[in-house]
Amino acid sequence: MSSDPTTTPVSPEVEQQVDSADVTLSNPRSAVIALGSNLGNRLETLQGAVDALEDTPGVRIKSVSAVYETEGVGGPENQPSYLNAVLVLRTTLPPQSLLERANAVEDAFGRVREVRFGPRTLDVDILSYEGVVLNRAELTLPHPRAHERAFVLAPWLDADPEAELAGHGPVAALLAAVGEQGVTRRDDIELHLPQ
């Protein structure tokens, strides 16, 4: 059931029909998205991003990682710590449309791009998109730095223990190589798919 208070409740049977419809859509693809926030109510912001992405036509979230608290990487020193999570989804949106939706969700949560790798209310990054390799100014797939970032790899492995990053190998091996220093799993908080 949508968390949007302006919608009318829908019967569970209709919801189940809609949720299972993604298997019949034309050519759904797997994609992996990373979420991060280090300003404001970080957990509320991440949950809002999950809700907004799940409410997107052509997107169905299949798995949500645990929440991880991490130190800032790059950018200004003494940033507040981040909360990070990873979503595995099925989508019929092409990569560019998924990026536009990710940017719109960031904007809705007040994302301002003033300093590279600076503090942010919300960061929504596409890590991979099934079978697609891109190298454009606005979007590179797979994500060019995912393989060296524990704050991405740890929640990704949690969301999909069999995950592989194209061109780099299994996420489990990549995480073992970079280590988990500065990344802490927060078992006291969690994200939920909209009910």
Side-chain angles (χ1 to χ4, degrees):
M1 189 176 293
S2 173
S3 60
D4 183 347
T6 64
T7 62
T8 304
V10 175
S11 74
E13 295 80 21
V14 171
E15 281 188 34
Q16 186 175 357
Q17 247 184 328
V18 171
D19 287 345
S20 63
D22 67 337
V23 298
T24 63
L25 293 175
S26 175
N27 199 24
R29 307 291 272 291
S30 294
V32 180
I33 289 184
L35 304 176
S37 174
N38 76 335
L39 294 176
N41 186 328
R42 301 170 300 162
L43 183 63
E44 187 177 287
T45 297
L46 293 185
Q47 184 62 59
V50 170
D51 295 346
L53 289 166
E54 177 66 10
D55 285 344
T56 302
V59 171
R60 279 288 172 264
I61 298 173
K62 294 301 183 183
S63 180
V64 179
S65 75
V67 177
Y68 289 76
E69 188 150 16
T70 64
E71 302 166 355
V73 174
E77 291 185 16
N78 302 317
Q79 288 191 58
S81 62
Y82 282 82
L83 290 184
N84 293 98
V86 164
L87 310 176
V88 177
L89 51 91
R90 298 286 285 167
T91 184
T92 56
L93 298 179
Q96 187 62 41
S97 296
L98 188 59
L99 175 65
E100 289 168 7
R101 179 61 175 156
N103 289 340
V105 171
E106 288 179 342
D107 292 345
F109 284 91
R111 168 76 187 263
V112 178
R113 291 166 178 80
E114 293 177 348
V115 178
R116 183 170 167 82
F117 302 126
R120 62 206 73 173
T121 53
L122 180 63
D123 194 21
V124 181
D125 285 333
I126 303 172
L127 301 177
S128 71
Y129 187 103
E130 180 184 325
V132 174
V133 176
L134 281 178
N135 192 2
R136 297 185 182 152
E138 71 279 2
L139 180 60
T140 300
L141 291 172
H143 191 287
R145 292 174 298 282
H147 66 284
E148 57 195 31
R149 293 179 165 176
F151 67 87
V152 166
L153 297 170
W156 190 352
L157 184 63
D158 184 74
D160 181 2
E162 304 300 317
E164 296 215 10
L165 179 58
H168 296 281
V171 169
L174 296 171
L175 181 59
V178 300
E180 295 185 53
Q181 184 174 356
V183 177
T184 304
R185 182 181 167 125
R186 292 283 307 269
D187 289 323
D188 58 318
I189 56 178
E190 60 185 351
L191 299 172
H192 302 279
L193 284 175
Q195 294 290 328

